[in-house]
mmCIF file of all heavy atoms in Angstrom:
data_model
loop_
_atom_site.group_PDB
_atom_site.id
_atom_site.type_symbol
_atom_site.label_atom_id
_atom_site.label_comp_id
_atom_site.label_asym_id
_atom_site.label_seq_id
_atom_site.Cartn_x
_atom_site.Cartn_y
_atom_site.Cartn_z
ATOM 1 N N PRO A 665 86.826 93.675 85.128
ATOM 2 C CA PRO A 665 88.237 93.384 85.365
ATOM 3 C C PRO A 665 89.126 93.898 84.233
ATOM 4 O O PRO A 665 90.261 93.466 84.091
ATOM 5 C CB PRO A 665 88.261 91.847 85.414
ATOM 6 C CG PRO A 665 87.184 91.456 84.478
ATOM 7 C CD PRO A 665 86.094 92.498 84.658
ATOM 8 N N LEU A 666 88.632 94.830 83.432
ATOM 9 C CA LEU A 666 89.344 95.284 82.243
ATOM 10 C C LEU A 666 89.863 96.699 82.406
ATOM 11 O O LEU A 666 89.295 97.501 83.135
ATOM 12 C CB LEU A 666 88.400 95.227 81.037
ATOM 13 C CG LEU A 666 87.669 93.896 80.830
ATOM 14 C CD1 LEU A 666 86.636 94.035 79.727
ATOM 15 C CD2 LEU A 666 88.643 92.788 80.535
ATOM 16 N N ASP A 667 90.932 96.992 81.677
ATOM 17 C CA ASP A 667 91.491 98.339 81.618
ATOM 18 C C ASP A 667 91.553 98.773 80.166
ATOM 19 O O ASP A 667 91.696 97.940 79.269
ATOM 20 C CB ASP A 667 92.914 98.372 82.187
ATOM 21 C CG ASP A 667 92.959 98.223 83.683
ATOM 22 O OD1 ASP A 667 92.068 98.770 84.360
ATOM 23 O OD2 ASP A 667 93.882 97.561 84.180
ATOM 24 N N ASP A 673 102.033 103.985 78.152
ATOM 25 C CA ASP A 673 102.766 103.590 79.339
ATOM 26 C C ASP A 673 103.711 102.431 79.043
ATOM 27 O O ASP A 673 103.298 101.303 78.855
ATOM 28 C CB ASP A 673 101.789 103.196 80.448
ATOM 29 C CG ASP A 673 102.455 103.059 81.798
ATOM 30 O OD1 ASP A 673 103.676 103.274 81.887
ATOM 31 O OD2 ASP A 673 101.744 102.749 82.773
ATOM 32 N N ASP A 675 105.676 101.125 81.104
ATOM 33 C CA ASP A 675 105.686 100.227 82.256
ATOM 34 C C ASP A 675 104.756 99.048 82.040
ATOM 35 O O ASP A 675 105.008 97.950 82.512
ATOM 36 C CB ASP A 675 105.281 100.966 83.540
ATOM 37 C CG ASP A 675 106.336 101.978 83.970
ATOM 38 O OD1 ASP A 675 107.508 101.828 83.555
ATOM 39 O OD2 ASP A 675 105.978 102.910 84.706
ATOM 40 N N ASP A 676 103.653 99.257 81.299
ATOM 41 C CA ASP A 676 102.729 98.164 81.003
ATOM 42 C C ASP A 676 103.432 97.075 80.202
ATOM 43 O O ASP A 676 103.242 95.892 80.435
ATOM 44 C CB ASP A 676 101.512 98.657 80.223
ATOM 45 C CG ASP A 676 100.560 99.459 81.083
ATOM 46 O OD1 ASP A 676 100.682 99.396 82.326
ATOM 47 O OD2 ASP A 676 99.697 100.163 80.517
ATOM 48 N N ASP A 677 104.263 97.479 79.228
ATOM 49 C CA ASP A 677 104.992 96.505 78.426
ATOM 50 C C ASP A 677 105.971 95.709 79.276
ATOM 51 O O ASP A 677 106.105 94.504 79.113
ATOM 52 C CB ASP A 677 105.762 97.193 77.296
ATOM 53 C CG ASP A 677 104.825 97.824 76.260
ATOM 54 O OD1 ASP A 677 103.666 97.364 76.164
ATOM 55 O OD2 ASP A 677 105.259 98.761 75.578
ATOM 56 N N GLU A 678 106.638 96.383 80.206
ATOM 57 C CA GLU A 678 107.572 95.690 81.083
ATOM 58 C C GLU A 678 106.831 94.724 82.001
ATOM 59 O O GLU A 678 107.294 93.625 82.257
ATOM 60 C CB GLU A 678 108.364 96.698 81.919
ATOM 61 C CG GLU A 678 109.335 97.514 81.090
ATOM 62 C CD GLU A 678 109.972 98.635 81.883
ATOM 63 O OE1 GLU A 678 109.812 98.665 83.119
ATOM 64 O OE2 GLU A 678 110.625 99.484 81.261
ATOM 65 N N GLU A 679 105.651 95.120 82.485
ATOM 66 C CA GLU A 679 104.858 94.244 83.348
ATOM 67 C C GLU A 679 104.429 92.999 82.587
ATOM 68 O O GLU A 679 104.453 91.901 83.120
ATOM 69 C CB GLU A 679 103.640 94.990 83.881
ATOM 70 C CG GLU A 679 102.861 94.186 84.896
ATOM 71 C CD GLU A 679 101.745 94.988 85.523
ATOM 72 O OE1 GLU A 679 101.964 96.160 85.863
ATOM 73 O OE2 GLU A 679 100.655 94.413 85.668
ATOM 74 N N LEU A 680 104.045 93.160 81.323
ATOM 75 C CA LEU A 680 103.690 91.999 80.513
ATOM 76 C C LEU A 680 104.876 91.064 80.371
ATOM 77 O O LEU A 680 104.742 89.853 80.476
ATOM 78 C CB LEU A 680 103.225 92.440 79.124
ATOM 79 C CG LEU A 680 101.769 92.783 78.970
ATOM 80 C CD1 LEU A 680 101.497 93.289 77.556
ATOM 81 C CD2 LEU A 680 100.879 91.615 79.284
ATOM 82 N N ASP A 681 106.059 91.627 80.107
ATOM 83 C CA ASP A 681 107.248 90.803 79.981
ATOM 84 C C ASP A 681 107.549 90.070 81.278
ATOM 85 O O ASP A 681 107.953 88.912 81.269
ATOM 86 C CB ASP A 681 108.460 91.655 79.595
ATOM 87 C CG ASP A 681 108.357 92.189 78.170
ATOM 88 O OD1 ASP A 681 107.569 91.625 77.373
ATOM 89 O OD2 ASP A 681 109.051 93.176 77.860
ATOM 90 N N ASP A 682 107.330 90.748 82.408
ATOM 91 C CA ASP A 682 107.609 90.136 83.701
ATOM 92 C C ASP A 682 106.663 88.995 84.015
ATOM 93 O O ASP A 682 107.012 88.066 84.720
ATOM 94 C CB ASP A 682 107.497 91.177 84.832
ATOM 95 C CG ASP A 682 108.616 92.209 84.761
ATOM 96 O OD1 ASP A 682 109.613 91.959 84.062
ATOM 97 O OD2 ASP A 682 108.464 93.271 85.404
ATOM 98 N N HIS A 683 105.433 89.034 83.497
ATOM 99 C CA HIS A 683 104.425 88.041 83.849
ATOM 100 C C HIS A 683 104.186 86.999 82.761
ATOM 101 O O HIS A 683 103.417 86.085 82.952
ATOM 102 C CB HIS A 683 103.087 88.722 84.162
ATOM 103 C CG HIS A 683 103.109 89.440 85.464
ATOM 104 N ND1 HIS A 683 103.625 90.696 85.589
ATOM 105 C CD2 HIS A 683 102.721 89.070 86.697
ATOM 106 C CE1 HIS A 683 103.534 91.081 86.843
ATOM 107 N NE2 HIS A 683 102.982 90.114 87.534
ATOM 108 N N SER A 684 104.838 87.151 81.623
ATOM 109 C CA SER A 684 104.512 86.245 80.527
ATOM 110 C C SER A 684 105.106 84.864 80.754
ATOM 111 O O SER A 684 106.308 84.720 80.941
ATOM 112 C CB SER A 684 104.985 86.822 79.200
ATOM 113 O OG SER A 684 106.369 87.012 79.211
ATOM 114 N N ASP A 685 104.236 83.886 80.791
ATOM 115 C CA ASP A 685 104.571 82.472 80.866
ATOM 116 C C ASP A 685 105.569 82.154 81.972
ATOM 117 O O ASP A 685 106.530 81.413 81.771
ATOM 118 C CB ASP A 685 105.094 81.994 79.505
ATOM 119 C CG ASP A 685 105.004 80.497 79.368
ATOM 120 O OD1 ASP A 685 104.296 79.872 80.183
ATOM 121 O OD2 ASP A 685 105.643 79.954 78.457
ATOM 122 N N GLU A 686 105.333 82.725 83.150
ATOM 123 C CA GLU A 686 106.247 82.502 84.264
ATOM 124 C C GLU A 686 106.362 81.036 84.654
ATOM 125 O O GLU A 686 107.417 80.567 85.027
ATOM 126 C CB GLU A 686 105.791 83.296 85.496
ATOM 127 C CG GLU A 686 106.023 84.772 85.369
ATOM 128 C CD GLU A 686 105.523 85.526 86.589
ATOM 129 O OE1 GLU A 686 104.789 84.945 87.406
ATOM 130 O OE2 GLU A 686 105.871 86.698 86.713
ATOM 131 N N ALA A 691 100.454 79.966 79.343
ATOM 132 C CA ALA A 691 99.444 80.978 79.639
ATOM 133 C C ALA A 691 100.114 82.253 80.121
ATOM 134 O O ALA A 691 101.146 82.219 80.765
ATOM 135 C CB ALA A 691 98.483 80.466 80.705
ATOM 136 N N VAL A 692 99.504 83.375 79.795
ATOM 137 C CA VAL A 692 100.017 84.666 80.226
ATOM 138 C C VAL A 692 98.939 85.332 81.062
ATOM 139 O O VAL A 692 97.806 85.475 80.624
ATOM 140 C CB VAL A 692 100.366 85.562 79.020
ATOM 141 C CG1 VAL A 692 100.832 86.920 79.484
ATOM 142 C CG2 VAL A 692 101.416 84.902 78.159
ATOM 143 N N TYR A 693 99.289 85.699 82.285
ATOM 144 C CA TYR A 693 98.352 86.361 83.189
ATOM 145 C C TYR A 693 98.875 87.755 83.461
ATOM 146 O O TYR A 693 99.572 87.984 84.427
ATOM 147 C CB TYR A 693 98.214 85.581 84.495
ATOM 148 C CG TYR A 693 97.922 84.115 84.267
ATOM 149 C CD1 TYR A 693 98.862 83.141 84.541
ATOM 150 C CD2 TYR A 693 96.698 83.735 83.743
ATOM 151 C CE1 TYR A 693 98.587 81.817 84.311
ATOM 152 C CE2 TYR A 693 96.421 82.410 83.504
ATOM 153 C CZ TYR A 693 97.367 81.455 83.798
ATOM 154 O OH TYR A 693 97.096 80.148 83.569
ATOM 155 N N SER A 694 98.549 88.702 82.602
ATOM 156 C CA SER A 694 99.054 90.057 82.733
ATOM 157 C C SER A 694 98.472 90.734 83.958
ATOM 158 O O SER A 694 97.264 90.810 84.120
ATOM 159 C CB SER A 694 98.685 90.855 81.494
ATOM 160 O OG SER A 694 98.997 92.210 81.677
ATOM 161 N N GLY A 695 99.351 91.220 84.805
ATOM 162 C CA GLY A 695 98.917 91.987 85.955
ATOM 163 C C GLY A 695 98.399 91.144 87.104
ATOM 164 O O GLY A 695 97.961 91.669 88.103
ATOM 165 N N LEU A 696 98.402 89.842 86.980
ATOM 166 C CA LEU A 696 97.902 88.985 88.040
ATOM 167 C C LEU A 696 99.052 88.225 88.674
ATOM 168 O O LEU A 696 99.911 87.700 87.991
ATOM 169 C CB LEU A 696 96.906 87.956 87.497
ATOM 170 C CG LEU A 696 95.612 88.487 86.908
ATOM 171 C CD1 LEU A 696 94.811 87.330 86.344
ATOM 172 C CD2 LEU A 696 94.806 89.204 87.961
ATOM 173 N N ASP A 697 99.054 88.187 89.967
ATOM 174 C CA ASP A 697 99.976 87.322 90.677
ATOM 175 C C ASP A 697 99.329 85.956 90.774
ATOM 176 O O ASP A 697 98.125 85.805 90.618
ATOM 177 C CB ASP A 697 100.235 87.863 92.098
ATOM 178 C CG ASP A 697 100.969 89.193 92.057
ATOM 179 O OD1 ASP A 697 101.728 89.422 91.095
ATOM 180 O OD2 ASP A 697 100.765 90.001 92.983
ATOM 181 N N ASP A 698 100.108 84.928 91.051
ATOM 182 C CA ASP A 698 99.551 83.584 91.161
ATOM 183 C C ASP A 698 98.435 83.535 92.192
ATOM 184 O O ASP A 698 97.465 82.813 92.033
ATOM 185 C CB ASP A 698 100.640 82.571 91.523
ATOM 186 C CG ASP A 698 101.574 82.309 90.353
ATOM 187 O OD1 ASP A 698 101.164 82.557 89.202
ATOM 188 O OD2 ASP A 698 102.712 81.868 90.587
ATOM 189 N N ALA A 699 98.548 84.311 93.267
ATOM 190 C CA ALA A 699 97.525 84.317 94.314
ATOM 191 C C ALA A 699 96.223 84.932 93.803
ATOM 192 O O ALA A 699 95.146 84.610 94.297
ATOM 193 C CB ALA A 699 98.022 85.083 95.534
ATOM 194 N N ASP A 700 96.302 85.817 92.783
ATOM 195 C CA ASP A 700 95.111 86.459 92.245
ATOM 196 C C ASP A 700 94.375 85.579 91.247
ATOM 197 O O ASP A 700 93.218 85.787 90.962
ATOM 198 C CB ASP A 700 95.480 87.768 91.526
ATOM 199 C CG ASP A 700 96.002 88.813 92.485
ATOM 200 O OD1 ASP A 700 95.628 88.750 93.678
ATOM 201 O OD2 ASP A 700 96.775 89.671 92.049
ATOM 202 N N TYR A 701 95.058 84.591 90.680
ATOM 203 C CA TYR A 701 94.455 83.749 89.657
ATOM 204 C C TYR A 701 93.727 82.600 90.318
ATOM 205 O O TYR A 701 94.296 81.795 91.020
ATOM 206 C CB TYR A 701 95.530 83.223 88.705
ATOM 207 C CG TYR A 701 94.974 82.311 87.642
ATOM 208 C CD1 TYR A 701 94.191 82.820 86.625
ATOM 209 C CD2 TYR A 701 95.218 80.954 87.672
ATOM 210 C CE1 TYR A 701 93.658 81.997 85.657
ATOM 211 C CE2 TYR A 701 94.699 80.121 86.709
ATOM 212 C CZ TYR A 701 93.922 80.647 85.702
ATOM 213 O OH TYR A 701 93.399 79.830 84.748
ATOM 214 N N ASP A 702 92.417 82.519 90.087
ATOM 215 C CA ASP A 702 91.592 81.487 90.694
ATOM 216 C C ASP A 702 91.421 80.346 89.712
ATOM 217 O O ASP A 702 90.727 80.473 88.712
ATOM 218 C CB ASP A 702 90.222 82.072 91.073
ATOM 219 C CG ASP A 702 89.343 81.056 91.772
ATOM 220 O OD1 ASP A 702 89.871 80.059 92.292
ATOM 221 O OD2 ASP A 702 88.119 81.284 91.809
#
Side-chain angles (χ1 to χ4, degrees):
L666 309 172
D667 288 322
D673 192 0
D675 291 338
D676 287 345
D677 293 336
E678 291 172 10
E679 186 174 317
L680 273 176
D681 291 341
D682 291 344
H683 288 82
S684 60
D685 200 15
E686 287 178 347
V692 177
Y693 309 110
S694 172
L696 296 176
D697 294 331
D698 288 338
D700 293 334
Y701 178 71
D702 183 20

